[in-house]
Amino acid sequence: MTDIGEKHKLLRDEFFNQLALLVVDYNWGKDLYKKVEEKCNFLKNYHYILFPEGEHQIIDGFEQWQDRKMLELLAQDVLKLKTREKIAKALEARIISIVEKPVILKENALFLLPCNFLLGTKCHIRTCDLIWRYAGDKSDDFNYYTKRGLLLGVYVSARLFYISDDSKEFIKTKEFIATSLESIINIA
């Protein structure tokens, strides 16, 4: 492997794999990143090389990593689904299957901080765009923004609902997603 960009991409993925596990027990910040470096057998402060733009780049990269994991998971399923079913499946995958519930809780708390609010909004909008594209949406007019805006409300509220869902296999979250989508798909 001679391309340093490709090498760093693989190392960032390794970083995010460990981050997803360790963020459950540690707060966001330098102590967490040092612990991730230890688990990855990286040199001390190597995260500064992988993420030269700082913590926002780590958070944004972690969200993009989760989006990629969602798309990889969805690519395994080749069933013919309606648009609403594809969106529901994507939301379920992104919210329930990628990271543990405490990670979602900590991310939500992180995005509520004033310094991270815009970053959280950007990340969530990007996820909603990916979900619509996965569902086959090709709109490029006003509908493009309407669909993403409506899905953003469902995505954020479903993340919050999921945190308090104690039902078996998170069936209540899945029902919440289905019910919420019922109302927005007709509008979109």
Side-chain angles (χ1 to χ4, degrees):
M1 181 183 306
T2 59
D3 184 22
I4 192 76
E6 184 62 28
K7 177 185 175 193
H8 279 182
K9 182 187 176 304
L10 294 172
L11 293 175
R12 281 191 290 270
D13 283 350
E14 186 179 339
F15 186 92
F16 295 138
N17 282 322
Q18 290 300 322
L19 179 70
L21 300 172
L22 292 170
V23 75
V24 172
D25 298 321
Y26 295 88
N27 290 323
W28 286 93
K30 291 180 184 177
D31 290 339
L32 170 62
Y33 309 143
K34 287 179 182 177
K35 198 70 174 162
V36 171
E37 287 171 345
E38 287 174 21
K39 288 287 186 182
C40 293
N41 293 317
F42 292 168
L43 295 173
K44 185 177 178 185
N45 294 322
Y46 195 71
H47 71 279
Y48 290 114
I49 294 171
L50 295 176
F51 309 101
E53 296 171 29
E55 186 168 49
H56 274 202
Q57 187 180 13
I58 294 172
I59 297 165
D60 186 44
F62 186 56
E63 283 290 313
Q64 289 180 50
W65 175 81
Q66 291 177 70
D67 287 339
R68 284 194 311 275
K69 292 289 186 190
M70 172 193 67
L71 292 173
E72 289 170 9
L73 191 62
L74 294 169
Q76 296 172 5
D77 197 1
V78 291
L79 298 174
K80 287 281 188 188
L81 302 173
K82 295 178 181 178
T83 300
R84 182 181 305 160
E85 294 167 329
K86 283 184 176 181
I87 293 171
K89 190 163 194 58
L91 285 170
E92 290 170 14
R94 182 61 166 82
I95 295 168
I96 298 169
S97 302
I98 307 302
V99 293
E100 294 181 37
K101 193 185 286 192
V103 177
I104 300 267
L105 178 63
K106 286 199 173 188
E107 284 180 324
N108 285 350
L110 182 72
F111 289 143
L112 285 174
L113 294 173
C115 61
N116 295 326
F117 187 77
L118 289 176
L119 175 62
T121 304
K122 175 186 140 191
C123 291
H124 292 339
I125 288 172
R126 182 180 50 231
T127 298
C128 291
D129 181 48
L130 285 171
I131 290 172
W132 269 111
R133 290 182 189 283
Y134 161 75
D137 181 58
K138 294 177 180 12
S139 63
D140 60 358
D141 55 359
F142 187 72
N143 271 340
Y144 174 89
Y145 300 101
T146 305
K147 289 176 178 179
R148 275 106 184 126
L150 291 169
L151 186 58
L152 178 63
V154 173
Y155 177 59
V156 171
S157 59
R159 283 172 62 101
L160 292 171
F161 189 92
Y162 169 66
I163 290 168
S164 63
D165 183 5
D166 293 330
S167 64
K168 186 177 181 182
E169 296 182 11
F170 306 108
I171 193 72
K172 288 183 181 177
T173 298
K174 293 174 184 178
E175 289 170 358
F176 178 86
I177 289 170
T179 304
S180 299
L181 285 178
E182 190 91 20
S183 58
I184 71 144
I185 294 293
N186 295 331
I187 296 170

